[in-house]
PDB file of all heavy atoms in Angstrom:
ATOM      1  N   TYR A  88     -23.522  -1.466 -55.561  1.00 93.00           N
ATOM      2  CA  TYR A  88     -22.461  -0.781 -56.279  1.00 93.00           C
ATOM      3  C   TYR A  88     -21.571  -1.776 -57.038  1.00 93.00           C
ATOM      4  O   TYR A  88     -21.254  -1.595 -58.212  1.00 93.00           O
ATOM      5  CB  TYR A  88     -21.674   0.060 -55.271  1.00 93.00           C
ATOM      6  CG  TYR A  88     -20.345   0.573 -55.829  1.00 93.00           C
ATOM      7  CD1 TYR A  88     -20.327   1.678 -56.692  1.00 93.00           C
ATOM      8  CD2 TYR A  88     -19.130  -0.014 -55.501  1.00 93.00           C
ATOM      9  CE1 TYR A  88     -19.113   2.141 -57.217  1.00 93.00           C
ATOM     10  CE2 TYR A  88     -17.938   0.441 -56.003  1.00 93.00           C
ATOM     11  CZ  TYR A  88     -17.942   1.539 -56.879  1.00 93.00           C
ATOM     12  OH  TYR A  88     -16.745   1.990 -57.379  1.00 93.00           O
ATOM     13  N   VAL A  89     -21.208  -2.867 -56.350  1.00 93.00           N
ATOM     14  CA  VAL A  89     -20.364  -3.896 -56.964  1.00 93.00           C
ATOM     15  C   VAL A  89     -21.108  -4.508 -58.160  1.00 93.00           C
ATOM     16  O   VAL A  89     -20.530  -4.668 -59.239  1.00 93.00           O
ATOM     17  CB  VAL A  89     -19.982  -4.972 -55.932  1.00 93.00           C
ATOM     18  CG1 VAL A  89     -19.363  -6.180 -56.612  1.00 93.00           C
ATOM     19  CG2 VAL A  89     -19.034  -4.435 -54.907  1.00 93.00           C
ATOM     20  N   ASP A  90     -22.357  -4.814 -57.987  1.00 93.00           N
ATOM     21  CA  ASP A  90     -23.164  -5.379 -59.097  1.00 93.00           C
ATOM     22  C   ASP A  90     -23.188  -4.424 -60.288  1.00 93.00           C
ATOM     23  O   ASP A  90     -23.091  -4.836 -61.451  1.00 93.00           O
ATOM     24  CB  ASP A  90     -24.582  -5.719 -58.662  1.00 93.00           C
ATOM     25  CG  ASP A  90     -24.651  -6.857 -57.690  1.00 93.00           C
ATOM     26  OD1 ASP A  90     -23.653  -7.591 -57.503  1.00 93.00           O
ATOM     27  OD2 ASP A  90     -25.755  -7.065 -57.124  1.00 93.00           O
ATOM     28  N   ASN A  91     -23.340  -3.133 -60.035  1.00 94.00           N
ATOM     29  CA  ASN A  91     -23.355  -2.148 -61.123  1.00 94.00           C
ATOM     30  C   ASN A  91     -22.032  -2.094 -61.867  1.00 94.00           C
ATOM     31  O   ASN A  91     -22.026  -1.877 -63.068  1.00 94.00           O
ATOM     32  CB  ASN A  91     -23.780  -0.763 -60.582  1.00 94.00           C
ATOM     33  CG  ASN A  91     -25.241  -0.691 -60.221  1.00 94.00           C
ATOM     34  OD1 ASN A  91     -26.026  -1.548 -60.614  1.00 94.00           O
ATOM     35  ND2 ASN A  91     -25.613   0.335 -59.495  1.00 94.00           N
ATOM     36  N   LEU A  92     -20.948  -2.285 -61.143  1.00 93.00           N
ATOM     37  CA  LEU A  92     -19.638  -2.324 -61.803  1.00 93.00           C
ATOM     38  C   LEU A  92     -19.583  -3.478 -62.808  1.00 93.00           C
ATOM     39  O   LEU A  92     -19.027  -3.327 -63.914  1.00 93.00           O
ATOM     40  CB  LEU A  92     -18.498  -2.464 -60.796  1.00 93.00           C
ATOM     41  CG  LEU A  92     -18.258  -1.251 -59.892  1.00 93.00           C
ATOM     42  CD1 LEU A  92     -17.161  -1.580 -58.866  1.00 93.00           C
ATOM     43  CD2 LEU A  92     -17.891   0.003 -60.669  1.00 93.00           C
ATOM     44  N   PHE A  93     -20.185  -4.599 -62.459  1.00 93.00           N
ATOM     45  CA  PHE A  93     -20.227  -5.737 -63.392  1.00 93.00           C
ATOM     46  C   PHE A  93     -21.092  -5.409 -64.619  1.00 93.00           C
ATOM     47  O   PHE A  93     -20.807  -5.869 -65.716  1.00 93.00           O
ATOM     48  CB  PHE A  93     -20.727  -7.005 -62.686  1.00 93.00           C
ATOM     49  CG  PHE A  93     -19.644  -7.726 -61.952  1.00 93.00           C
ATOM     50  CD1 PHE A  93     -19.553  -7.689 -60.577  1.00 93.00           C
ATOM     51  CD2 PHE A  93     -18.672  -8.425 -62.658  1.00 93.00           C
ATOM     52  CE1 PHE A  93     -18.563  -8.366 -59.905  1.00 93.00           C
ATOM     53  CE2 PHE A  93     -17.635  -9.114 -61.984  1.00 93.00           C
ATOM     54  CZ  PHE A  93     -17.600  -9.055 -60.607  1.00 93.00           C
ATOM     55  N   ILE A  94     -22.131  -4.617 -64.418  1.00 95.00           N
ATOM     56  CA  ILE A  94     -22.946  -4.247 -65.574  1.00 95.00           C
ATOM     57  C   ILE A  94     -22.130  -3.394 -66.546  1.00 95.00           C
ATOM     58  O   ILE A  94     -22.212  -3.593 -67.753  1.00 95.00           O
ATOM     59  CB  ILE A  94     -24.243  -3.544 -65.118  1.00 95.00           C
ATOM     60  CG1 ILE A  94     -25.125  -4.557 -64.342  1.00 95.00           C
ATOM     61  CG2 ILE A  94     -25.014  -2.997 -66.315  1.00 95.00           C
ATOM     62  CD1 ILE A  94     -26.341  -3.928 -63.655  1.00 95.00           C
ATOM     63  N   TRP A  95     -21.320  -2.466 -66.036  1.00 95.00           N
ATOM     64  CA  TRP A  95     -20.439  -1.692 -66.927  1.00 95.00           C
ATOM     65  C   TRP A  95     -19.436  -2.622 -67.614  1.00 95.00           C
ATOM     66  O   TRP A  95     -19.107  -2.435 -68.791  1.00 95.00           O
ATOM     67  CB  TRP A  95     -19.721  -0.587 -66.148  1.00 95.00           C
ATOM     68  CG  TRP A  95     -20.659   0.482 -65.698  1.00 95.00           C
ATOM     69  CD1 TRP A  95     -20.957   0.789 -64.409  1.00 95.00           C
ATOM     70  CD2 TRP A  95     -21.503   1.312 -66.527  1.00 95.00           C
ATOM     71  NE1 TRP A  95     -21.890   1.819 -64.374  1.00 95.00           N
ATOM     72  CE2 TRP A  95     -22.243   2.132 -65.664  1.00 95.00           C
ATOM     73  CE3 TRP A  95     -21.663   1.458 -67.898  1.00 95.00           C
ATOM     74  CZ2 TRP A  95     -23.146   3.091 -66.124  1.00 95.00           C
ATOM     75  CZ3 TRP A  95     -22.552   2.414 -68.367  1.00 95.00           C
ATOM     76  CH2 TRP A  95     -23.297   3.226 -67.479  1.00 95.00           C
ATOM     77  N   HIS A  96     -18.922  -3.614 -66.888  1.00 94.00           N
ATOM     78  CA  HIS A  96     -18.040  -4.610 -67.451  1.00 94.00           C
ATOM     79  C   HIS A  96     -18.686  -5.304 -68.616  1.00 94.00           C
ATOM     80  O   HIS A  96     -18.085  -5.447 -69.696  1.00 94.00           O
ATOM     81  CB  HIS A  96     -17.710  -5.554 -66.266  1.00 94.00           C
ATOM     82  CG  HIS A  96     -17.303  -6.961 -66.568  1.00 94.00           C
ATOM     83  ND1 HIS A  96     -16.496  -7.654 -65.707  1.00 94.00           N
ATOM     84  CD2 HIS A  96     -17.579  -7.845 -67.557  1.00 94.00           C
ATOM     85  CE1 HIS A  96     -16.333  -8.889 -66.173  1.00 94.00           C
ATOM     86  NE2 HIS A  96     -16.977  -8.996 -67.278  1.00 94.00           N
ATOM     87  N   PRO A 165     -14.658  -6.767 -58.388  1.00 85.00           N
ATOM     88  CA  PRO A 165     -14.866  -6.462 -59.798  1.00 85.00           C
ATOM     89  C   PRO A 165     -13.717  -5.677 -60.439  1.00 85.00           C
ATOM     90  O   PRO A 165     -12.782  -5.262 -59.742  1.00 85.00           O
ATOM     91  CB  PRO A 165     -16.150  -5.602 -59.771  1.00 85.00           C
ATOM     92  CG  PRO A 165     -16.132  -4.976 -58.432  1.00 85.00           C
ATOM     93  CD  PRO A 165     -15.504  -5.999 -57.497  1.00 85.00           C
ATOM     94  N   SER A 166     -13.798  -5.506 -61.713  1.00 86.00           N
ATOM     95  CA  SER A 166     -12.730  -4.870 -62.463  1.00 86.00           C
ATOM     96  C   SER A 166     -12.629  -3.363 -62.221  1.00 86.00           C
ATOM     97  O   SER A 166     -11.693  -2.731 -62.704  1.00 86.00           O
ATOM     98  CB  SER A 166     -12.949  -5.110 -63.958  1.00 86.00           C
ATOM     99  OG  SER A 166     -14.204  -4.527 -64.350  1.00 86.00           O
ATOM    100  N   LEU A 167     -13.595  -2.766 -61.577  1.00 87.00           N
ATOM    101  CA  LEU A 167     -13.707  -1.332 -61.296  1.00 87.00           C
ATOM    102  C   LEU A 167     -13.980  -0.498 -62.552  1.00 87.00           C
ATOM    103  O   LEU A 167     -13.734   0.714 -62.576  1.00 87.00           O
ATOM    104  CB  LEU A 167     -12.445  -0.813 -60.574  1.00 87.00           C
ATOM    105  CG  LEU A 167     -12.146  -1.464 -59.222  1.00 87.00           C
ATOM    106  CD1 LEU A 167     -10.889  -0.893 -58.597  1.00 87.00           C
ATOM    107  CD2 LEU A 167     -13.341  -1.336 -58.286  1.00 87.00           C
ATOM    108  N   ILE A 168     -14.499  -1.147 -63.597  1.00 92.00           N
ATOM    109  CA  ILE A 168     -14.940  -0.391 -64.792  1.00 92.00           C
ATOM    110  C   ILE A 168     -16.152   0.420 -64.351  1.00 92.00           C
ATOM    111  O   ILE A 168     -17.109  -0.112 -63.788  1.00 92.00           O
ATOM    112  CB  ILE A 168     -15.309  -1.373 -65.924  1.00 92.00           C
ATOM    113  CG1 ILE A 168     -14.036  -2.056 -66.434  1.00 92.00           C
ATOM    114  CG2 ILE A 168     -15.988  -0.604 -67.061  1.00 92.00           C
ATOM    115  CD1 ILE A 168     -14.330  -3.181 -67.399  1.00 92.00           C
ATOM    116  N   GLN A 169     -16.082   1.712 -64.630  1.00 93.00           N
ATOM    117  CA  GLN A 169     -17.174   2.624 -64.268  1.00 93.00           C
ATOM    118  C   GLN A 169     -17.816   3.204 -65.503  1.00 93.00           C
ATOM    119  O   GLN A 169     -17.358   2.984 -66.638  1.00 93.00           O
ATOM    120  CB  GLN A 169     -16.605   3.745 -63.439  1.00 93.00           C
ATOM    121  CG  GLN A 169     -15.904   3.297 -62.165  1.00 93.00           C
ATOM    122  CD  GLN A 169     -15.189   4.440 -61.482  1.00 93.00           C
ATOM    123  OE1 GLN A 169     -15.567   5.602 -61.582  1.00 93.00           O
ATOM    124  NE2 GLN A 169     -14.119   4.119 -60.782  1.00 93.00           N
TER     125      GLN A 169
END
Side-chain angles (χ1 to χ4, degrees):
Y88 168 76
V89 168
D90 290 349
N91 287 346
L92 292 176
F93 277 106
I94 294 172
W95 292 117
H96 154 153
S166 61
L167 301 180
I168 293 170
Q169 301 172 29

